[in-house]
Amino acid sequence: VATDRDQPLFRVIGVHLKASPDFSRVRMKQADTIASYIKNLNSKLPVVITGDFNTFDKKQTRQSADDDQLIDKKWLPLGLVQSTGKYFTFKTPKYSSHFDRFWLSNTLKVAGTPTVLANCQLRQSDPEELKKIIWFNTNISDHCPVTVTFSL
């Protein structure tokens, strides 16, 4: 992202890591690859990494920690901090999860927690709200848009 005079302000890296609790080790290798990429940039520009991380908790993956915590350990030395909050970004009639996340350079000032489209916060037990979830999943996406506000 750059100014109107083509002066770069920060880098945005979009990811889609391997899905399924059984692939936690693959996701950690992908996180290592991203870390190497960032190190090789040799840039002072702040970084925003966002996307579908397909993170699962340690009960599901049988790893030593939740996936997002394992990624934190890899990226904290690079000055990347996770923007956290309690929200769902993936919702179906049966499941809810928090797959879509942000890690940002610690030089960026985050204003609050990420915001998610309201459909992902609907109650699955309410038949009318369940219809909205099904419609959204069928016609738009199985993930809800998530935004974060920050300043340089």
Side-chain angles (χ1 to χ4, degrees), residues 107-125:
T107 57
L108 298 172
K109 298 173 188 91
V110 178
T113 60
T115 305
V116 181
L117 183 74
N119 277 20
C120 273
Q121 309 314 313
L122 297 173
R123 295 182 322 270
Q124 292 156 307
S125 58

Side-chain angles (χ1 to χ4, degrees), residues 38-113:
I38 292 168
K39 285 178 196 173
N40 291 332
L41 288 173
N42 284 326
S43 173
K44 300 289 185 204
L45 288 176
V47 174
V48 175
I49 306 174
T50 186
D52 181 355
F53 287 87
N54 279 307
T55 49
F56 293 88
D57 64 41
K58 65 183 179 181
K59 290 178 189 173
Q60 294 171 291
T61 64
R62 298 177 300 283
Q63 298 298 317
S64 61
D66 295 348
D67 281 347
D68 68 309
Q69 294 168 343
L70 295 171
I71 294 171
D72 275 342
K73 288 179 186 176
K74 295 174 180 300
W75 291 356
L76 277 172
L78 299 173
L80 294 167
V81 179
Q82 184 179 176
S83 180
T84 59
K86 296 288 183 193
Y87 55 88
F88 297 120
T89 62
F90 175 84
K91 196 148 196 167
T92 68
K94 292 184 179 182
Y95 304 104
S96 297
S97 198
H98 179 171
F99 291 145
D100 306 273
R101 299 172 180 273
F102 295 93
W103 269 267
L104 302 96
S105 293
N106 58 15
T107 57
L108 298 172
K109 298 173 188 91
V110 178
T113 60

